Amino acid sequence: MKKHIVTSVLYTVITAVLLGIVYPLVVTGLAHVMFPQQANGSLIERNGVVVGSKLIGQAFDGPGYFWSRQSAAGSGNGYDASNSGGSNYAATNAALATRVAGTVATLSPKGANSPVPIDLATASASGLDPDITPAAAYYQVARVAAERHMSEDAVRTLVAAHTTPRQFGLLGEPRVNVLELNLDLDTTAPAAN
């Protein structure tokens, strides 16, 4: 009996050390060697200052910026990575319907003469989605162009340049990273303060 207990304790300790310490350190080390940008959070720097991550959405609410998807992650304006999650409202929930209707009413006069794209009216499941659909980006072109005193064609060209196609031509959907688009927009035509 004592031999079985000692053996089981040793196996538990060895397994815990190998799978709880050694394996994570090896995987983390390999990730930093093979994919250093991704392993460090895909951070974006401007002038030596970290302005965000390609992987985590953030709020943009200025009139001269492309707006991100709404976020229900955390309190305040959302986008709290430590409190990721959606509202979990069902499609039949009155609170969701009211919020979506309010968002559509707010966005409609500011966009094109077309329906508000669904990803601008709803929050993502994680609340941290960094991307919007090309339709959501093109919907905002007229507003952004007017605020930046740019031609709509120039803004459309920026959106097209920041549109990532489906991976391998079939996985996922085309998307536009809002942070990268807005940073390029600031470089091309700085917003008036």
Side-chain angles (χ1 to χ4, degrees), residues 3-86:
K3 182 180 174 184
H4 293 298
I5 292 173
V6 170
T7 302
S8 64
V9 168
L10 284 174
Y11 274 119
T12 302
V13 170
I14 291 169
T15 303
V17 169
L18 284 175
L19 299 178
I21 297 172
V22 175
Y23 177 74
L25 287 175
V26 168
V27 171
T28 302
L30 286 173
H32 276 82
V33 170
M34 295 169 58
F35 308 103
Q37 171 71 12
Q38 295 88 336
N40 289 308
S42 297
L43 300 177
I44 298 175
E45 290 186 13
R46 288 294 184 263
N47 302 321
V49 177
V50 175
V51 295
S53 169
K54 287 175 57 172
L55 306 174
I56 298 177
Q58 55 185 287
F60 287 97
D61 54 10
Y65 288 99
F66 284 89
W67 296 339
S68 304
R69 289 192 76 172
Q70 296 180 9
S71 175
S75 59
N77 71 346
Y79 303 99
D80 180 0
S82 67
N83 193 11
S84 174

Side-chain angles (χ1 to χ4, degrees), residues 69-153:
R69 289 192 76 172
Q70 296 180 9
S71 175
S75 59
N77 71 346
Y79 303 99
D80 180 0
S82 67
N83 193 11
S84 174
S87 66
N88 291 327
Y89 290 145
T92 57
N93 187 295
L96 176 64
T98 301
R99 185 175 56 76
V100 169
T103 300
V104 168
T106 300
L107 292 175
S108 291
K110 296 183 171 106
N113 293 327
S114 60
V116 175
I118 191 70
D119 55 321
L120 288 179
T122 59
S124 68
S126 70
L128 303 173
D129 193 348
D131 303 320
I132 57 175
T133 61
Y138 287 120
Y139 181 82
Q140 301 179 66
V141 163
R143 174 183 54 79
V144 172
E147 288 293 329
R148 296 281 181 143
H149 307 292
M150 296 174 67
S151 73
E152 289 186 23
D153 287 339

Side-chain angles (χ1 to χ4, degrees), residues 172-190:
E173 293 295 325
R175 61 203 175 278
V176 178
N177 187 286
V178 178
L179 174 59
E180 290 178 323
L181 176 58
N182 282 333
L183 288 173
D184 198 8
L185 193 61
D186 276 344
T187 301
T188 304

Side-chain angles (χ1 to χ4, degrees), residues 148-172:
R148 296 281 181 143
H149 307 292
M150 296 174 67
S151 73
E152 289 186 23
D153 287 339
V155 178
R156 275 192 202 88
T157 301
L158 281 175
V159 170
H162 286 278
T163 300
T164 303
R166 294 176 173 190
Q167 189 174 18
F168 309 121
L170 58 112
L171 298 176

